[in-house]
Amino acid sequence: MTTQPKVRYTKSADGTNIAYWAIGDGRPLVYIPPQAWSHIEREWAIPEWRRRYERLAEGRRLVRYDARGFGLSDLNTADVTLSAHATDLESVLDALAIEQCDLFALGDAGFTAIEFCARASERVGKLVLWGSYANRDFFNNSPKVKS
């Protein structure tokens, strides 16, 4: 695939516009955006990222969206809670008429994936957490390195 996917928009429950695209055919795999950074259009322009997305789309339908406050989604949003991020994911699934999917979450995106699974487990087949954690207590309670 060499052409950029068509970016579409859906409104989350609070009216926030969420940008997304989908490529490929088959069982849906949603790549949840890390909350520290996300820009689906610019990511596609990076050859290594594009190849990663193309590989992930082999034999499945890959869905990628920008988190609220980042990329092509609405930047100035008042609600940036975990609940709002999970609702954004639900809005993307509804816009694509996806009843059940697999989720892939990297780093902080794991919080959104876990929240969504707790809220709508019937919509999730498989959950892949990569470099994710269930809470931030790990960082608060880790031993301090003395210099």
Side-chain angles (χ1 to χ4, degrees):
M1 175 171 296
T2 57
T3 60
Q4 185 165 342
K6 181 173 173 68
V7 175
R8 300 183 187 281
Y9 292 86
T10 187
K11 284 200 181 291
S12 195
D14 66 358
T16 301
N17 289 303
I18 303 298
Y20 69 93
W21 55 247
I23 59 172
D25 293 306
R27 181 168 177 81
L29 172 66
V30 180
Y31 190 119
I32 300 175
Q35 294 176 19
W37 186 84
S38 173
H39 197 298
I40 56 176
E41 199 171 55
R42 289 188 180 164
E43 290 171 10
W44 189 263
I46 300 168
E48 295 81 6
W49 286 43
R50 183 178 59 248
R51 282 193 298 277
R52 176 182 2 165
Y53 291 143
E54 289 171 339
R55 283 193 304 266
L56 285 171
E58 291 175 4
R60 64 180 64 91
R61 184 179 189 194
L62 178 65
V63 177
R64 184 71 173 89
Y65 67 97
D66 278 334
R68 61 178 45 223
F70 296 95
L72 300 174
S73 292
D74 282 348
L75 300 178
N76 299 315
T77 59
D79 188 359
V80 291
T81 61
L82 185 55
S83 178
H85 283 284
T87 300
D88 296 345
L89 169 56
E90 182 177 31
S91 298
V92 170
L93 294 178
D94 290 347
L96 290 167
I98 295 174
E99 292 181 27
Q100 190 182 58
C101 66
D102 299 329
L103 299 178
F104 175 80
L106 174 67
D108 280 355
F111 294 127
T112 301
I114 293 167
E115 171 72 16
F116 186 78
C117 286
R119 176 191 296 193
S121 61
E122 72 283 356
R123 294 191 80 173
V124 181
K126 295 176 185 167
L127 171 62
V128 178
L129 300 175
W130 184 19
S132 295
Y133 34 90
N135 63 54
R136 289 190 170 104
D137 288 343
F138 171 80
F139 295 106
N140 296 330
N141 296 323
S142 62
K144 304 295 182 221
V145 176
K146 293 183 181 181
S147 47

